[in-house]
């Protein structure tokens, strides 16, 4: 009997910006539909196309899409915060020396690709050349393992927030990007 040879898929991370949104919009929607299939009936989850347009419409929008052998399997995106309007500052007792912030809005993988360190690769690629001193993201407080994962990446929880009446209660997580390992 011949031994069965399997080859690992080639994972390719591709960077996109604001002007690329029309070409990647459907890819983002398709990955989201797979990642949130179990929660597709939730009204908040169904509003994802609005969030894509909202974030993608920002001039500084940055996105990284992961492909396995050419097939999209996950992505992360965000945009720089507006100077002087760092919404997360209300959770800090001291002002940071440099409050410039990159806001990470989404980081998701299709279910079969989770648990393989691809999220960390996507995250690190998104922030790799960012000039901002800080990164901020939110994570559903009902997902403690996900919060712990971000803490392992250097984030710290600074508060909790529910930005929309139908959204989950989120842990607000802040990363000193310029000093993170």
């Amino acid at each position: 009997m011949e031994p069965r040879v399997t080859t690992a898929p080639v994972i390719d991370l591709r960077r996109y910006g604001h002007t690329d949104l029309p070409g990647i919009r459907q890819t983002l929607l398709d990955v989201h539909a797979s990642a949130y299939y179990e929660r597709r009936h939730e009204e908040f989850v169904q509003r994802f196309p609005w969030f894509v347009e909202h974030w993608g419409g920002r001039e500084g929008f940055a996105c990284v899409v992961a492909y396995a052998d050419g097939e999209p399997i996950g992505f992360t995106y965000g945009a720089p915060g507006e100077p002087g309007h760092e919404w997360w500052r209300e959770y800090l007792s001291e002002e940071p020396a440099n409050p410039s912030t990159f806001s990470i809005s989404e980081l998701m993988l299709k279910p079969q690709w989770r648990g393989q360190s691809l999220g960390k690769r996507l995250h690190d690629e998104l922030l790799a050349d960012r000039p901002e001193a800080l990164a901020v993201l939110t994570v559903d407080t009902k997902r403690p393992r996900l919060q712990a994962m971000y803490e392992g990446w250097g984030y710290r929880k600074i508060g909790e927030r529910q930005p929309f009446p139908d959204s989950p209660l989120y842990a607000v997580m802040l990363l000193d990007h310029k000093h993170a390992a």
Side-chain angles (χ1 to χ4, degrees):
M1 182 172 187
E2 292 280 323
R4 194 170 149 200
V5 178
T6 59
T7 56
V10 174
I11 305 296
D12 180 29
L13 303 182
R14 300 181 200 164
R15 300 175 68 85
Y16 299 97
H18 169 70
T19 59
D20 300 311
L21 185 61
I24 64 167
R25 183 181 190 280
Q26 192 59 50
T27 297
L28 301 180
L29 296 178
D30 291 347
V31 170
H32 178 268
S34 176
Y36 282 86
Y37 183 78
E38 299 295 325
R39 295 176 50 198
R40 68 190 178 280
H41 63 280
E42 295 175 25
E43 196 172 322
F44 186 72
V45 170
Q46 292 172 2
R47 289 206 326 257
F48 181 70
W50 179 88
F51 288 101
V52 169
E53 295 302 321
H54 172 76
W55 286 92
R58 294 181 179 200
E59 191 66 35
F61 172 78
C63 179
V64 178
V65 179
Y67 296 85
D69 292 335
E71 188 69 28
I73 60 170
F75 65 84
T76 185
Y77 69 69
E82 189 177 329
H85 297 280
E86 295 85 7
W87 56 268
W88 50 264
R89 282 175 137 177
E90 67 188 72
Y91 301 104
L92 299 180
S93 57
E94 291 183 32
E95 291 289 318
N98 179 349
S100 64
T101 309
F102 187 81
S103 297
I104 298 175
S105 176
E106 297 289 345
L107 191 159
M108 67 183 69
L109 290 160
K110 290 182 176 180
Q112 65 270 32
W113 292 96
R114 295 176 186 155
Q116 301 176 45
S117 299
L118 292 172
K120 177 79 165 117
R121 284 182 61 194
L122 280 165
H123 172 271
D124 291 352
E125 182 66 21
L126 182 66
L127 294 181
D129 62 353
R130 298 302 318 171
E132 296 84 9
L134 305 167
V136 67
L137 56 79
T138 57
V139 60
D140 189 334
T141 56
K142 292 180 182 173
R143 309 275 313 273
R145 287 179 43 196
L146 198 53
Q147 182 178 320
M149 178 189 78
Y150 288 121
E151 288 169 344
W153 296 358
Y155 284 85
R156 63 188 167 100
K157 179 180 175 180
I158 60 171
E160 293 183 349
R161 169 178 205 194
Q162 185 175 11
F164 301 97
D166 63 343
S167 74
L169 177 64
Y170 290 110
V172 178
M173 310 286 293
L174 191 66
L175 172 71
D176 185 346
H177 170 54
K178 292 303 176 185
H179 295 102

